[in-house]
Amino acid sequence: MPPAPPASSPALHAGAPRLAAARAMRRHLRALRVVLNTLLLLALLYTITLSKALLIPLVLAAFIGLALNPIVAFGARLHLPRWLTASVLMLGLIVGIGSGVGLLAQPAVGWFHGAPAAIKSFVPKLRSFTRPLEAANRATQTLVSGSSRAPAPQTTPISISTWDVVATTPKVLAAVLGVLLLVFFFLIYGDSMLRRLVEITPGFTYKRHAVSIVRGIQTEVSRYLLTALLINASLGAATAGMLWLYKVPDPLLWGAVAMFANFIPYVGAIVTTALLAVVCMLYASDASLEVFLPVLTFAGITAVEGNLITPFIQGASMRLSPIAILLWLLVWGWLWGIPGALLAVPMLTCTKLICERVRGWEWFAHIVQR
């Protein structure tokens, strides 16, 4: 064996520049990859924002289809055609949505029309509470501007005209009809689409792995969606019953608001509590601390639901990190507005369940889990 060249040999001196150039090239490639990934993420966010009119009904229909798919699968095990079970479910869904809209539309419109008059009638009752604040405000303005006269606030009346209702109704009906049709076809042809997706997977081992992943995700997502829907519906019913006992007007309306807002963790409970506080103050006969009894009761109900009932029913595997939930809410609320905030947590939960079963993405499920 020939002896190794010494450290100061010409061969090592000639290879050092090439090694340094290769390292510099790798650093440049890594920086270029980071830039390209950032541009790809920004382009994806822009595309999601631009196509939200298409994606929001599609995502909503997919979630509803996943929630109702176990019922259709149970009917198929009883040798019932999928189209028959799906038709019965869609008929019940249409009747439920129509009944809910019929019950809640008139109280909601009446509240919007009657809110300004209620505010005007309740303002004189708050004089005993607001008199010290008004005195402090006048003193501050006297020190700043030398005048004790406060500028009169300008109020904008809230009104919903007939033309607004007529112009908005076709868009709402078209969106609802599109979601219902998508749910119906998902329930009928969803399994066949999944089978074709598995058929194109190469190799028997990959096919079996794909089937186990798809079935596990479908089962757990369906269980999560049905559980969340039942918990939120129970919260809405409890809220409506509590408000009815306290004789708060339109308890069904505020119970429905509490049910839908509870799909947004933390933020939904805070917004509903603030909204109930405003409603109770507007419709109270006098300004006293008893006005806030419904609000305190609702806060207690949501505390029990969020800290005891939901963790006990869903289990530790479905619990998400509060930081991940808030960040996800900020992102999807920024992209899609209120629909994005409502769909954010179901999307995060489904993404976590998928990442737990896809090789290479377990890190995301570990980060977002509590």
Side-chain angles (χ1 to χ4, degrees), residues 313-346:
I313 294 177
Q314 291 185 346
S317 61
M318 291 292 181
R319 301 184 68 182
L320 300 172
S321 171
I323 299 177
I325 290 175
L326 292 177
L327 291 176
W328 203 258
L329 286 174
L330 287 175
V331 170
W332 288 102
W334 172 59
L335 293 175
W336 287 355
I338 295 178
L342 289 172
L343 295 172
V345 176

PDB file of all heavy atoms in Angstrom, residues 313-346:
ATOM      1  N   ILE A 313     -65.568  12.956  26.889  1.00  0.00           N
ATOM      2  CA  ILE A 313     -66.204  12.225  25.785  1.00  0.00           C
ATOM      3  C   ILE A 313     -65.216  11.996  24.636  1.00  0.00           C
ATOM      4  O   ILE A 313     -65.118  10.886  24.097  1.00  0.00           O
ATOM      5  CB  ILE A 313     -67.445  12.990  25.289  1.00  0.00           C
ATOM      6  CG1 ILE A 313     -68.512  13.005  26.381  1.00  0.00           C
ATOM      7  CG2 ILE A 313     -68.001  12.353  24.028  1.00  0.00           C
ATOM      8  CD1 ILE A 313     -69.748  13.805  26.015  1.00  0.00           C
ATOM      9  N   GLN A 314     -64.476  13.027  24.253  1.00  0.00           N
ATOM     10  CA  GLN A 314     -63.597  12.900  23.098  1.00  0.00           C
ATOM     11  C   GLN A 314     -62.295  12.193  23.421  1.00  0.00           C
ATOM     12  O   GLN A 314     -61.697  11.583  22.533  1.00  0.00           O
ATOM     13  CB  GLN A 314     -63.306  14.282  22.515  1.00  0.00           C
ATOM     14  CG  GLN A 314     -64.513  14.922  21.852  1.00  0.00           C
ATOM     15  CD  GLN A 314     -64.163  16.229  21.185  1.00  0.00           C
ATOM     16  OE1 GLN A 314     -63.100  16.792  21.418  1.00  0.00           O
ATOM     17  NE2 GLN A 314     -65.060  16.722  20.359  1.00  0.00           N
ATOM     18  N   GLY A 315     -61.836  12.271  24.638  1.00  0.00           N
ATOM     19  CA  GLY A 315     -60.602  11.589  24.999  1.00  0.00           C
ATOM     20  C   GLY A 315     -59.378  12.444  24.739  1.00  0.00           C
ATOM     21  O   GLY A 315     -59.431  13.504  24.110  1.00  0.00           O
ATOM     22  N   ALA A 316     -58.238  11.964  25.223  1.00  0.00           N
ATOM     23  CA  ALA A 316     -56.990  12.732  25.118  1.00  0.00           C
ATOM     24  C   ALA A 316     -56.463  12.789  23.695  1.00  0.00           C
ATOM     25  O   ALA A 316     -55.750  13.726  23.334  1.00  0.00           O
ATOM     26  CB  ALA A 316     -55.927  12.115  26.036  1.00  0.00           C
ATOM     27  N   SER A 317     -56.789  11.780  22.854  1.00  0.00           N
ATOM     28  CA  SER A 317     -56.254  11.763  21.497  1.00  0.00           C
ATOM     29  C   SER A 317     -56.832  12.868  20.635  1.00  0.00           C
ATOM     30  O   SER A 317     -56.241  13.252  19.627  1.00  0.00           O
ATOM     31  CB  SER A 317     -56.533  10.408  20.840  1.00  0.00           C
ATOM     32  OG  SER A 317     -57.933  10.172  20.761  1.00  0.00           O
ATOM     33  N   MET A 318     -58.003  13.402  20.988  1.00  0.00           N
ATOM     34  CA  MET A 318     -58.644  14.450  20.198  1.00  0.00           C
ATOM     35  C   MET A 318     -58.352  15.850  20.733  1.00  0.00           C
ATOM     36  O   MET A 318     -58.814  16.827  20.154  1.00  0.00           O
ATOM     37  CB  MET A 318     -60.162  14.230  20.187  1.00  0.00           C
ATOM     38  CG  MET A 318     -60.599  13.017  19.420  1.00  0.00           C
ATOM     39  SD  MET A 318     -60.303  13.203  17.660  1.00  0.00           S
ATOM     40  CE  MET A 318     -60.957  11.647  17.060  1.00  0.00           C
ATOM     41  N   ARG A 319     -57.614  15.956  21.820  1.00  0.00           N
ATOM     42  CA  ARG A 319     -57.367  17.262  22.409  1.00  0.00           C
ATOM     43  C   ARG A 319     -56.231  17.947  21.660  1.00  0.00           C
ATOM     44  O   ARG A 319     -55.206  17.345  21.347  1.00  0.00           O
ATOM     45  CB  ARG A 319     -57.045  17.120  23.887  1.00  0.00           C
ATOM     46  CG  ARG A 319     -58.160  16.464  24.680  1.00  0.00           C
ATOM     47  CD  ARG A 319     -57.864  16.418  26.163  1.00  0.00           C
ATOM     48  NE  ARG A 319     -57.872  17.746  26.738  1.00  0.00           N
ATOM     49  CZ  ARG A 319     -57.601  17.998  28.021  1.00  0.00           C
ATOM     50  NH1 ARG A 319     -57.320  16.989  28.835  1.00  0.00           N
ATOM     51  NH2 ARG A 319     -57.622  19.218  28.484  1.00  0.00           N
ATOM     52  N   LEU A 320     -56.417  19.240  21.399  1.00  0.00           N
ATOM     53  CA  LEU A 320     -55.466  20.018  20.632  1.00  0.00           C
ATOM     54  C   LEU A 320     -54.850  21.096  21.518  1.00  0.00           C
ATOM     55  O   LEU A 320     -55.445  21.533  22.500  1.00  0.00           O
ATOM     56  CB  LEU A 320     -56.148  20.664  19.421  1.00  0.00           C
ATOM     57  CG  LEU A 320     -56.785  19.702  18.420  1.00  0.00           C
ATOM     58  CD1 LEU A 320     -57.580  20.474  17.390  1.00  0.00           C
ATOM     59  CD2 LEU A 320     -55.737  18.850  17.732  1.00  0.00           C
ATOM     60  N   SER A 321     -53.681  21.540  21.125  1.00  0.00           N
ATOM     61  CA  SER A 321     -52.995  22.594  21.860  1.00  0.00           C
ATOM     62  C   SER A 321     -53.736  23.924  21.691  1.00  0.00           C
ATOM     63  O   SER A 321     -54.134  24.271  20.574  1.00  0.00           O
ATOM     64  CB  SER A 321     -51.562  22.730  21.355  1.00  0.00           C
ATOM     65  OG  SER A 321     -50.942  23.873  21.891  1.00  0.00           O
ATOM     66  N   PRO A 322     -53.954  24.674  22.769  1.00  0.00           N
ATOM     67  CA  PRO A 322     -54.619  25.979  22.621  1.00  0.00           C
ATOM     68  C   PRO A 322     -53.873  26.934  21.707  1.00  0.00           C
ATOM     69  O   PRO A 322     -54.495  27.710  20.965  1.00  0.00           O
ATOM     70  CB  PRO A 322     -54.675  26.505  24.059  1.00  0.00           C
ATOM     71  CG  PRO A 322     -54.571  25.300  24.925  1.00  0.00           C
ATOM     72  CD  PRO A 322     -53.711  24.343  24.177  1.00  0.00           C
ATOM     73  N   ILE A 323     -52.536  26.892  21.723  1.00  0.00           N
ATOM     74  CA  ILE A 323     -51.767  27.768  20.835  1.00  0.00           C
ATOM     75  C   ILE A 323     -52.003  27.387  19.376  1.00  0.00           C
ATOM     76  O   ILE A 323     -52.197  28.254  18.511  1.00  0.00           O
ATOM     77  CB  ILE A 323     -50.274  27.692  21.192  1.00  0.00           C
ATOM     78  CG1 ILE A 323     -50.051  28.163  22.625  1.00  0.00           C
ATOM     79  CG2 ILE A 323     -49.435  28.498  20.217  1.00  0.00           C
ATOM     80  CD1 ILE A 323     -48.616  28.051  23.087  1.00  0.00           C
ATOM     81  N   ALA A 324     -52.016  26.077  19.089  1.00  0.00           N
ATOM     82  CA  ALA A 324     -52.276  25.636  17.717  1.00  0.00           C
ATOM     83  C   ALA A 324     -53.680  26.023  17.277  1.00  0.00           C
ATOM     84  O   ALA A 324     -53.889  26.430  16.127  1.00  0.00           O
ATOM     85  CB  ALA A 324     -52.078  24.116  17.617  1.00  0.00           C
ATOM     86  N   ILE A 325     -54.661  25.906  18.187  1.00  0.00           N
ATOM     87  CA  ILE A 325     -56.035  26.279  17.835  1.00  0.00           C
ATOM     88  C   ILE A 325     -56.136  27.766  17.520  1.00  0.00           C
ATOM     89  O   ILE A 325     -56.742  28.169  16.509  1.00  0.00           O
ATOM     90  CB  ILE A 325     -56.988  25.898  18.984  1.00  0.00           C
ATOM     91  CG1 ILE A 325     -57.125  24.375  19.084  1.00  0.00           C
ATOM     92  CG2 ILE A 325     -58.365  26.519  18.778  1.00  0.00           C
ATOM     93  CD1 ILE A 325     -57.937  23.913  20.260  1.00  0.00           C
ATOM     94  N   LEU A 326     -55.534  28.606  18.361  1.00  0.00           N
ATOM     95  CA  LEU A 326     -55.619  30.053  18.130  1.00  0.00           C
ATOM     96  C   LEU A 326     -54.896  30.453  16.847  1.00  0.00           C
ATOM     97  O   LEU A 326     -55.392  31.299  16.083  1.00  0.00           O
ATOM     98  CB  LEU A 326     -55.042  30.801  19.334  1.00  0.00           C
ATOM     99  CG  LEU A 326     -55.859  30.679  20.625  1.00  0.00           C
ATOM    100  CD1 LEU A 326     -55.170  31.394  21.763  1.00  0.00           C
ATOM    101  CD2 LEU A 326     -57.264  31.240  20.429  1.00  0.00           C
ATOM    102  N   LEU A 327     -53.725  29.884  16.590  1.00  0.00           N
ATOM    103  CA  LEU A 327     -53.021  30.194  15.344  1.00  0.00           C
ATOM    104  C   LEU A 327     -53.812  29.738  14.125  1.00  0.00           C
ATOM    105  O   LEU A 327     -53.912  30.449  13.119  1.00  0.00           O
ATOM    106  CB  LEU A 327     -51.636  29.541  15.351  1.00  0.00           C
ATOM    107  CG  LEU A 327     -50.621  30.111  16.341  1.00  0.00           C
ATOM    108  CD1 LEU A 327     -49.326  29.303  16.293  1.00  0.00           C
ATOM    109  CD2 LEU A 327     -50.338  31.576  16.034  1.00  0.00           C
ATOM    110  N   TRP A 328     -54.404  28.553  14.218  1.00  0.00           N
ATOM    111  CA  TRP A 328     -55.210  28.027  13.109  1.00  0.00           C
ATOM    112  C   TRP A 328     -56.448  28.900  12.893  1.00  0.00           C
ATOM    113  O   TRP A 328     -56.844  29.158  11.751  1.00  0.00           O
ATOM    114  CB  TRP A 328     -55.603  26.588  13.422  1.00  0.00           C
ATOM    115  CG  TRP A 328     -55.951  25.745  12.240  1.00  0.00           C
ATOM    116  CD1 TRP A 328     -57.194  25.408  11.822  1.00  0.00           C
ATOM    117  CD2 TRP A 328     -55.052  25.089  11.337  1.00  0.00           C
ATOM    118  NE1 TRP A 328     -57.140  24.594  10.728  1.00  0.00           N
ATOM    119  CE2 TRP A 328     -55.825  24.381  10.405  1.00  0.00           C
ATOM    120  CE3 TRP A 328     -53.665  25.043  11.242  1.00  0.00           C
ATOM    121  CZ2 TRP A 328     -55.265  23.633   9.373  1.00  0.00           C
ATOM    122  CZ3 TRP A 328     -53.105  24.291  10.209  1.00  0.00           C
ATOM    123  CH2 TRP A 328     -53.902  23.609   9.296  1.00  0.00           C
ATOM    124  N   LEU A 329     -57.070  29.356  13.976  1.00  0.00           N
ATOM    125  CA  LEU A 329     -58.218  30.254  13.859  1.00  0.00           C
ATOM    126  C   LEU A 329     -57.826  31.574  13.204  1.00  0.00           C
ATOM    127  O   LEU A 329     -58.570  32.105  12.363  1.00  0.00           O
ATOM    128  CB  LEU A 329     -58.820  30.518  15.239  1.00  0.00           C
ATOM    129  CG  LEU A 329     -59.632  29.396  15.875  1.00  0.00           C
ATOM    130  CD1 LEU A 329     -60.019  29.778  17.297  1.00  0.00           C
ATOM    131  CD2 LEU A 329     -60.879  29.098  15.063  1.00  0.00           C
ATOM    132  N   LEU A 330     -56.675  32.122  13.583  1.00  0.00           N
ATOM    133  CA  LEU A 330     -56.226  33.370  12.983  1.00  0.00           C
ATOM    134  C   LEU A 330     -55.986  33.209  11.483  1.00  0.00           C
ATOM    135  O   LEU A 330     -56.378  34.069  10.681  1.00  0.00           O
ATOM    136  CB  LEU A 330     -54.949  33.850  13.675  1.00  0.00           C
ATOM    137  CG  LEU A 330     -55.099  34.414  15.090  1.00  0.00           C
ATOM    138  CD1 LEU A 330     -53.734  34.723  15.677  1.00  0.00           C
ATOM    139  CD2 LEU A 330     -55.956  35.673  15.066  1.00  0.00           C
ATOM    140  N   VAL A 331     -55.349  32.113  11.103  1.00  0.00           N
ATOM    141  CA  VAL A 331     -55.035  31.910   9.684  1.00  0.00           C
ATOM    142  C   VAL A 331     -56.305  31.755   8.856  1.00  0.00           C
ATOM    143  O   VAL A 331     -56.515  32.456   7.851  1.00  0.00           O
ATOM    144  CB  VAL A 331     -54.104  30.687   9.518  1.00  0.00           C
ATOM    145  CG1 VAL A 331     -53.960  30.317   8.054  1.00  0.00           C
ATOM    146  CG2 VAL A 331     -52.740  30.969  10.118  1.00  0.00           C
ATOM    147  N   TRP A 332     -57.203  30.850   9.273  1.00  0.00           N
ATOM    148  CA  TRP A 332     -58.397  30.588   8.467  1.00  0.00           C
ATOM    149  C   TRP A 332     -59.431  31.692   8.608  1.00  0.00           C
ATOM    150  O   TRP A 332     -60.223  31.922   7.686  1.00  0.00           O
ATOM    151  CB  TRP A 332     -58.982  29.228   8.825  1.00  0.00           C
ATOM    152  CG  TRP A 332     -58.130  28.124   8.322  1.00  0.00           C
ATOM    153  CD1 TRP A 332     -57.263  27.363   9.046  1.00  0.00           C
ATOM    154  CD2 TRP A 332     -58.016  27.686   6.976  1.00  0.00           C
ATOM    155  NE1 TRP A 332     -56.624  26.474   8.233  1.00  0.00           N
ATOM    156  CE2 TRP A 332     -57.070  26.634   6.950  1.00  0.00           C
ATOM    157  CE3 TRP A 332     -58.631  28.064   5.783  1.00  0.00           C
ATOM    158  CZ2 TRP A 332     -56.721  25.979   5.776  1.00  0.00           C
ATOM    159  CZ3 TRP A 332     -58.281  27.399   4.613  1.00  0.00           C
ATOM    160  CH2 TRP A 332     -57.338  26.369   4.613  1.00  0.00           C
ATOM    161  N   GLY A 333     -59.460  32.389   9.736  1.00  0.00           N
ATOM    162  CA  GLY A 333     -60.315  33.556   9.828  1.00  0.00           C
ATOM    163  C   GLY A 333     -59.840  34.673   8.918  1.00  0.00           C
ATOM    164  O   GLY A 333     -60.648  35.414   8.345  1.00  0.00           O
ATOM    165  N   TRP A 334     -58.523  34.805   8.769  1.00  0.00           N
ATOM    166  CA  TRP A 334     -57.970  35.797   7.847  1.00  0.00           C
ATOM    167  C   TRP A 334     -58.233  35.417   6.397  1.00  0.00           C
ATOM    168  O   TRP A 334     -58.510  36.274   5.553  1.00  0.00           O
ATOM    169  CB  TRP A 334     -56.474  35.935   8.108  1.00  0.00           C
ATOM    170  CG  TRP A 334     -55.756  36.780   7.098  1.00  0.00           C
ATOM    171  CD1 TRP A 334     -56.005  38.089   6.777  1.00  0.00           C
ATOM    172  CD2 TRP A 334     -54.665  36.358   6.280  1.00  0.00           C
ATOM    173  NE1 TRP A 334     -55.135  38.507   5.802  1.00  0.00           N
ATOM    174  CE2 TRP A 334     -54.291  37.468   5.484  1.00  0.00           C
ATOM    175  CE3 TRP A 334     -53.947  35.168   6.153  1.00  0.00           C
ATOM    176  CZ2 TRP A 334     -53.241  37.411   4.559  1.00  0.00           C
ATOM    177  CZ3 TRP A 334     -52.911  35.113   5.248  1.00  0.00           C
ATOM    178  CH2 TRP A 334     -52.566  36.222   4.462  1.00  0.00           C
ATOM    179  N   LEU A 335     -58.185  34.111   6.092  1.00  0.00           N
ATOM    180  CA  LEU A 335     -58.365  33.674   4.711  1.00  0.00           C
ATOM    181  C   LEU A 335     -59.840  33.661   4.297  1.00  0.00           C
ATOM    182  O   LEU A 335     -60.191  34.142   3.208  1.00  0.00           O
ATOM    183  CB  LEU A 335     -57.770  32.276   4.522  1.00  0.00           C
ATOM    184  CG  LEU A 335     -56.251  32.155   4.636  1.00  0.00           C
ATOM    185  CD1 LEU A 335     -55.826  30.703   4.550  1.00  0.00           C
ATOM    186  CD2 LEU A 335     -55.563  32.973   3.555  1.00  0.00           C
ATOM    187  N   TRP A 336     -60.710  33.113   5.149  1.00  0.00           N
ATOM    188  CA  TRP A 336     -62.106  32.872   4.766  1.00  0.00           C
ATOM    189  C   TRP A 336     -63.118  33.634   5.609  1.00  0.00           C
ATOM    190  O   TRP A 336     -64.314  33.484   5.384  1.00  0.00           O
ATOM    191  CB  TRP A 336     -62.418  31.377   4.833  1.00  0.00           C
ATOM    192  CG  TRP A 336     -61.795  30.586   3.727  1.00  0.00           C
ATOM    193  CD1 TRP A 336     -61.101  31.069   2.665  1.00  0.00           C
ATOM    194  CD2 TRP A 336     -61.829  29.166   3.568  1.00  0.00           C
ATOM    195  NE1 TRP A 336     -60.685  30.040   1.860  1.00  0.00           N
ATOM    196  CE2 TRP A 336     -61.119  28.860   2.379  1.00  0.00           C
ATOM    197  CE3 TRP A 336     -62.388  28.125   4.306  1.00  0.00           C
ATOM    198  CZ2 TRP A 336     -60.958  27.558   1.932  1.00  0.00           C
ATOM    199  CZ3 TRP A 336     -62.224  26.831   3.856  1.00  0.00           C
ATOM    200  CH2 TRP A 336     -61.512  26.558   2.675  1.00  0.00           C
ATOM    201  N   GLY A 337     -62.700  34.394   6.593  1.00  0.00           N
ATOM    202  CA  GLY A 337     -63.648  35.137   7.412  1.00  0.00           C
ATOM    203  C   GLY A 337     -64.345  34.232   8.429  1.00  0.00           C
ATOM    204  O   GLY A 337     -63.764  33.273   8.959  1.00  0.00           O
ATOM    205  N   ILE A 338     -65.639  34.523   8.678  1.00  0.00           N
ATOM    206  CA  ILE A 338     -66.400  33.760   9.672  1.00  0.00           C
ATOM    207  C   ILE A 338     -66.542  32.281   9.285  1.00  0.00           C
ATOM    208  O   ILE A 338     -66.382  31.398  10.137  1.00  0.00           O
ATOM    209  CB  ILE A 338     -67.776  34.414   9.895  1.00  0.00           C
ATOM    210  CG1 ILE A 338     -67.594  35.811  10.509  1.00  0.00           C
ATOM    211  CG2 ILE A 338     -68.649  33.556  10.809  1.00  0.00           C
ATOM    212  CD1 ILE A 338     -68.886  36.561  10.721  1.00  0.00           C
ATOM    213  N   PRO A 339     -66.846  31.930   8.010  1.00  0.00           N
ATOM    214  CA  PRO A 339     -66.873  30.496   7.667  1.00  0.00           C
ATOM    215  C   PRO A 339     -65.551  29.793   7.936  1.00  0.00           C
ATOM    216  O   PRO A 339     -65.532  28.633   8.383  1.00  0.00           O
ATOM    217  CB  PRO A 339     -67.226  30.497   6.172  1.00  0.00           C
ATOM    218  CG  PRO A 339     -67.938  31.783   5.951  1.00  0.00           C
ATOM    219  CD  PRO A 339     -67.298  32.754   6.876  1.00  0.00           C
ATOM    220  N   GLY A 340     -64.436  30.477   7.685  1.00  0.00           N
ATOM    221  CA  GLY A 340     -63.142  29.859   7.977  1.00  0.00           C
ATOM    222  C   GLY A 340     -62.924  29.637   9.450  1.00  0.00           C
ATOM    223  O   GLY A 340     -62.354  28.612   9.853  1.00  0.00           O
ATOM    224  N   ALA A 341     -63.387  30.586  10.292  1.00  0.00           N
ATOM    225  CA  ALA A 341     -63.254  30.397  11.735  1.00  0.00           C
ATOM    226  C   ALA A 341     -64.114  29.242  12.224  1.00  0.00           C
ATOM    227  O   ALA A 341     -63.719  28.498  13.137  1.00  0.00           O
ATOM    228  CB  ALA A 341     -63.634  31.687  12.459  1.00  0.00           C
ATOM    229  N   LEU A 342     -65.303  29.057  11.632  1.00  0.00           N
ATOM    230  CA  LEU A 342     -66.167  27.950  12.030  1.00  0.00           C
ATOM    231  C   LEU A 342     -65.607  26.595  11.600  1.00  0.00           C
ATOM    232  O   LEU A 342     -65.767  25.591  12.301  1.00  0.00           O
ATOM    233  CB  LEU A 342     -67.565  28.141  11.441  1.00  0.00           C
ATOM    234  CG  LEU A 342     -68.413  29.269  12.039  1.00  0.00           C
ATOM    235  CD1 LEU A 342     -69.692  29.463  11.239  1.00  0.00           C
ATOM    236  CD2 LEU A 342     -68.748  28.995  13.491  1.00  0.00           C
ATOM    237  N   LEU A 343     -64.949  26.558  10.442  1.00  0.00           N
ATOM    238  CA  LEU A 343     -64.428  25.296   9.921  1.00  0.00           C
ATOM    239  C   LEU A 343     -62.985  25.028  10.337  1.00  0.00           C
ATOM    240  O   LEU A 343     -62.451  23.957  10.027  1.00  0.00           O
ATOM    241  CB  LEU A 343     -64.502  25.298   8.387  1.00  0.00           C
ATOM    242  CG  LEU A 343     -65.899  25.332   7.768  1.00  0.00           C
ATOM    243  CD1 LEU A 343     -65.802  25.527   6.262  1.00  0.00           C
ATOM    244  CD2 LEU A 343     -66.660  24.058   8.079  1.00  0.00           C
ATOM    245  N   ALA A 344     -62.355  25.963  11.044  1.00  0.00           N
ATOM    246  CA  ALA A 344     -60.922  25.842  11.323  1.00  0.00           C
ATOM    247  C   ALA A 344     -60.609  24.645  12.209  1.00  0.00           C
ATOM    248  O   ALA A 344     -59.727  23.836  11.888  1.00  0.00           O
ATOM    249  CB  ALA A 344     -60.413  27.136  11.971  1.00  0.00           C
ATOM    250  N   VAL A 345     -61.303  24.520  13.326  1.00  0.00           N
ATOM    251  CA  VAL A 345     -60.988  23.436  14.272  1.00  0.00           C
ATOM    252  C   VAL A 345     -61.329  22.058  13.695  1.00  0.00           C
ATOM    253  O   VAL A 345     -60.518  21.122  13.848  1.00  0.00           O
ATOM    254  CB  VAL A 345     -61.693  23.684  15.616  1.00  0.00           C
ATOM    255  CG1 VAL A 345     -61.453  22.529  16.577  1.00  0.00           C
ATOM    256  CG2 VAL A 345     -61.174  24.971  16.237  1.00  0.00           C
ATOM    257  N   PRO A 346     -62.482  21.853  13.026  1.00  0.00           N
ATOM    258  CA  PRO A 346     -62.657  20.547  12.355  1.00  0.00           C
ATOM    259  C   PRO A 346     -61.569  20.244  11.336  1.00  0.00           C
ATOM    260  O   PRO A 346     -61.115  19.093  11.237  1.00  0.00           O
ATOM    261  CB  PRO A 346     -64.033  20.688  11.692  1.00  0.00           C
ATOM    262  CG  PRO A 346     -64.766  21.667  12.528  1.00  0.00           C
ATOM    263  CD  PRO A 346     -63.729  22.640  12.990  1.00  0.00           C
TER     264      PRO A 346
END
